[in-house]
Amino acid sequence: MKKKIELIHFSTLKEYCEGINIPSPRHHDYDVRSFQENMKTVHHKMSLHKHEFYALALKLEGSGYTKTGNYSTKNLEATLFFNSPYQITYWDILPDWEGYYIMFTEDFYIEKNPTAQIGQEFPFLLVDNTIPLDIAKEDIPTFLSIFKEAFNEYNSGADFNKEIIYHHTKALLYKAARLFKKQINESELQFTQRDGDIILVSRFKNQIETSFHPGQSFENAEPHKVQFYADRLSVHPNHLNALCKRITSHSASELIYKHILSLAKSRLVNTDKSVKEIAFELYYNYPNHFAKFFKKQTGMTPGTFRK
């Protein structure tokens, strides 16, 4: 009988760093490293795994390869490559890698703009589009300087370094988008090995994001319910729930609640709107239902969290 390969799932950056055997990150929602600093301890061969955050990496040199989805860095020299939440990844490398990477959660990305949709802004980050990009010699200094700036900011501990790293990350994403458009033909985006289940879960996550955009009208808090999204995606809610559980290790309702909680925390911290206003913006018909949900998820009331 063929031995079943275990797929490791990392929910947090801390878990991920422990899992690949490098020091814990300084922050829970973003991390900036050089490959050189990891090489002494990192597992040089890492089996199949997935995680719940985004990564941008610049590989300048190094033997071996990393593979994400259907694409590998094998035989590539200076390379920009990516990871998105729930992609299956593995690597087999030698301790000679040079370069930098930035990892960040969705919360990090939307903190400054709660309505931002990273998948729509940067389609190359979608689970079926993350193709490693060759970087021409003349373009290396541009990418390298931004990664270095982010790396130095991360290690400086100076005021506003998170904000500066955020803007460096956005600059890298836009430059990567430009490079992607230049290198990849539309025909190459139609992959024969697409995983339809992963695509469906990605669509579900996008539906969650768009359903909480301001100015919409719903009855009975529909965006909180799995049935609402199942109807939009033309699938049975049990099927959607099973796919989410298998691919993300979270149920469909947990993914919905996670997004609501992220938006709620951001608005409590970054705006002076009342708890009642935030509750209505998140399509709760009754503010006390929002307060009950928030306390169940965090162990504290919205007002206590804001303080």
Side-chain angles (χ1 to χ4, degrees), residues 23 64 79 81 90 101 117 120 126 149 152 157 189 194 200 204 213 216 229 233 240 245 250 252 291:
T79 313
F81 63 96
Y90 62 92
Y101 65 85
Q117 294 184 68
Q120 288 191 8
L126 295 177
E149 284 287 333
N152 291 335
L189 300 181
R194 260 184 192 175
L200 182 62
F204 170 53
H213 283 189
Q216 302 183 80
Y229 299 99
L233 296 167
L240 179 60
K245 196 74 176 174
H250 295 289

Side-chain angles (χ1 to χ4, degrees), residues 2 20-21 33 68 99-100 108 120 138 173 189 195 199 208 214-215 221 243 258-259 268 280:
K2 195 173 182 180
I20 69 172
N21 201 36
R33 309 267 181 143
T68 301
Y100 297 89
F108 171 82
Q120 288 191 8
E138 61 269 23
L173 287 167
L189 300 181
D195 187 332
I199 301 300
I208 295 172
L243 290 183
K258 188 177 179 181
H259 186 68
L268 286 166
F280 288 139

